[in-house]
Amino acid sequence: MRCDRLWRGARLATLAPSRPGLGLVEHGVVAALDGRVVYAGPAGEAPSFEADETIDVEGRWITPGLIDCHTHLIHGGDRAHEFELRLAGASYEEIARAGGGIVSTMTATRAASEDELVASALHRLDALIAEGVTTVEVKSGYGLSLESELKSLRAARALGVRRPVSVTTTFLGAHALPPEAKGDKDAFITAICDEMLPAVAREGLADAVDGFCEGIAFLPEHIERVFARAEELGLPVKLHADQLSNLHGAKLAAEFGALSADHLEYTDEEGAAAMAAAGTVAVLLPGAFYFIRETKLPPVDLFRAQGTHMALATDNNPGTSPLTSLLLTMNMAATLFRMTVDECLAGVTREAARALGRLNEIGTLEAGKSCDLAIWNIERPAELVYRMGFNPLHDRVWRGK
């Protein structure tokens, strides 16, 4: 069998559901043709390959390329001053209600050009790529006007042109209320449904639609309107849910068949069960939990008991999680949320792919999928979760190269 590249002498964590746990293979090979995996498994079971190039990885571990399935990479400015305020005792909600938070980033984002947004985001993206990330989700949501939301989504798409990485874009118009709305959430949601969403869909700029369901953002009845319109336009949905209180956002997301519900610190058993039944992935964001000093842990035991799939992401954003390391994210999830090594590694590969609706393309080492690999200088997979501030990446492969 012909292949253009063959990686041999490898230990594999395939994450394939056909194998238990992480799908470990002690003596493995990976073969690729035209950017796709044609074989990943035991060397002793591999067909005879005629490879254009053979790479001996000398016993290193190969995992699927990492996937950051929840980021806000595109934004102007930073919020370091708000960090100081929080250190002095102010809460996230107090800062937001005083005109800080998302609205302060909105002002900087509106003032920035598309090129400036791309340039600033590339620094953050490069940090992720350096740790083996091959796919990243990027949300809008800091423009909060039609012009600025379209600008942000175009900038997000441009990242995938400027770097060898797959970019999935999400329209997050229902993120916060801009000042010009003068407190009228209903009117702003109408503008999202009647103007912004159709324009985003018409230009093909978003792969999904998101919202922030919280007292300081939008109520469930607002989100329902956005999701119903997204459904009409053929766009899948996801939701920032139950982060600061339980407005039953997880259940709402499940009712619309959402790809994911994210944050989830206050999700109850009903919400966890609804997500499991709908196949909605729980995306846990330990960076935000840590950064805002949250004390309410997400109900990991409930998710396990209900069979809810769990993913992990950085939630990279300027206000509540300026984090650009999926490796540190895994360590935080294990340390703070008591997730297992297997759950953490699956959470940034297979389950992250599921949360993006792309499990048929990425997230595991299986024939037919994109050949996105991370090759590691480690002795066992647990090292990827155990270490802090240490990057053992040896090589990164995106679409076979």
Side-chain angles (χ1 to χ4, degrees):
M1 181 184 291
R2 180 181 168 268
C3 66
D4 45 34
R5 280 184 184 78
L6 180 71
W7 291 266
R8 64 178 180 85
R11 291 180 281 178
L12 310 179
T14 68
L15 278 297
S18 58
R19 296 178 178 275
L22 296 176
L24 303 183
V25 176
E26 190 63 30
H27 303 285
V29 298
V30 178
L33 179 65
D34 298 329
R36 297 205 166 268
V37 174
V38 293
Y39 179 82
E45 300 174 16
S48 178
F49 284 107
E50 294 182 11
D52 297 340
E53 180 183 7
T54 298
I55 301 129
D56 185 353
V57 300
E58 301 175 328
R60 293 181 175 89
W61 281 90
I62 299 180
T63 69
L66 304 189
I67 301 166
D68 197 347
C69 65
H70 181 132
T71 83
H72 304 256
L73 288 180
I74 295 292
H75 61 80
D78 64 56
R79 304 231 293 270
H81 175 58
E82 292 180 17
F83 176 62
E84 292 182 285
L85 292 178
R86 273 204 300 276
L87 291 177
S91 72
Y92 174 58
E93 188 167 353
E94 287 168 345
I95 291 170
R97 292 194 185 280
I102 293 167
V103 172
S104 66
T105 299
M106 177 208 73
T107 302
T109 302
R110 288 182 176 182
S113 69
E114 183 178 322
D115 287 343
E116 288 170 335
L117 292 176
V118 171
S120 66
L122 284 174
H123 297 296
R124 297 182 280 274
L125 178 61
D126 285 343
L128 294 171
I129 288 173
E131 287 190 351
V133 169
T134 52
T135 298
V136 61
E137 185 258 17
V138 183
K139 303 179 191 295
S140 66
Y142 289 121
L144 304 180
S145 69
L146 176 58
E147 178 185 359
S148 291
E149 286 294 295
L150 293 176
K151 176 180 67 176
S152 296
L153 289 167
R154 291 190 193 103
R157 288 279 200 228
L159 297 178
V161 176
R162 298 284 295 274
R163 293 291 187 270
V165 65
S166 299
V167 175
T168 295
T169 56
T170 299
F171 171 62
L172 180 56
H175 195 195
L177 196 65
E180 63 268 20
K182 300 185 188 310
D184 193 339
K185 293 184 179 182
D186 290 327
F188 184 63
I189 292 297
T190 296
I192 289 173
C193 294
D194 292 352
E195 300 171 31
M196 294 190 200
L197 258 173
V200 167
R202 194 163 50 244
E203 296 197 27
L205 287 174
D207 302 302
V209 173
D210 200 346
F212 187 13
C213 186
E214 194 59 69
I216 61 170
F218 297 97
L219 299 176
E221 52 263 36
H222 298 129
I223 299 299
E224 286 177 6
R225 292 175 59 195
V226 173
F227 281 7
R229 188 67 173 119
E231 197 171 65
E232 291 174 1
L233 294 167
L235 289 168
V237 298
K238 52 182 65 179
L239 186 63
H240 287 61
D242 304 342
Q243 180 186 9
L244 306 173
S245 62
N246 184 12
L247 296 184
H248 306 288
K251 183 173 179 288
L252 173 63
E255 288 171 355
F256 279 88
L259 294 172
S260 72
D262 303 33
H263 287 290
L264 305 174
E265 279 85 344
Y266 287 81
T267 297
D268 57 20
E269 185 169 3
E270 183 183 28
M275 289 176 64
T280 298
V281 178
V283 178
L284 305 184
L285 305 170
F289 176 93
Y290 165 85
F291 200 76
I292 68 172
R293 297 180 174 183
E294 180 58 73
T295 57
K296 174 73 170 171
L297 290 164
V300 169
D301 286 339
L302 269 184
F303 294 142
R304 287 175 182 145
Q306 295 293 341
T308 311
H309 295 283
M310 292 184 288
L312 293 171
T314 63
D315 189 20
N316 174 263
N317 76 79
T320 62
S321 187
L323 173 63
T324 52
S325 171
L326 267 184
L327 296 178
L328 182 55
T329 297
M330 286 194 287
N331 180 273
M332 286 180 168
T335 303
L336 300 174
F337 297 168
R338 294 294 187 260
M339 291 177 70
T340 67
V341 166
D342 285 14
E343 287 170 338
C344 290
L345 289 172
V348 298
T349 53
R350 184 183 64 224
E351 302 310 321
R354 195 191 307 274
L356 296 180
R358 298 190 58 196
L359 186 55
N360 63 324
E361 306 168 51
I362 56 175
T364 65
L365 303 182
E366 295 180 274
K369 294 196 175 183
S370 182
C371 186
D372 297 347
L373 314 176
I375 304 174
W376 306 97
N377 289 312
I378 56 175
E379 287 303 315
R380 54 188 298 173
E383 285 185 52
L384 297 176
V385 181
Y386 151 75
R387 295 187 184 275
M388 295 186 291
F390 179 78
N391 181 5
L393 186 72
H394 173 74
D395 206 357
R396 171 186 173 276
V397 178
W398 179 68
R399 296 183 179 175
K401 297 181 180 179

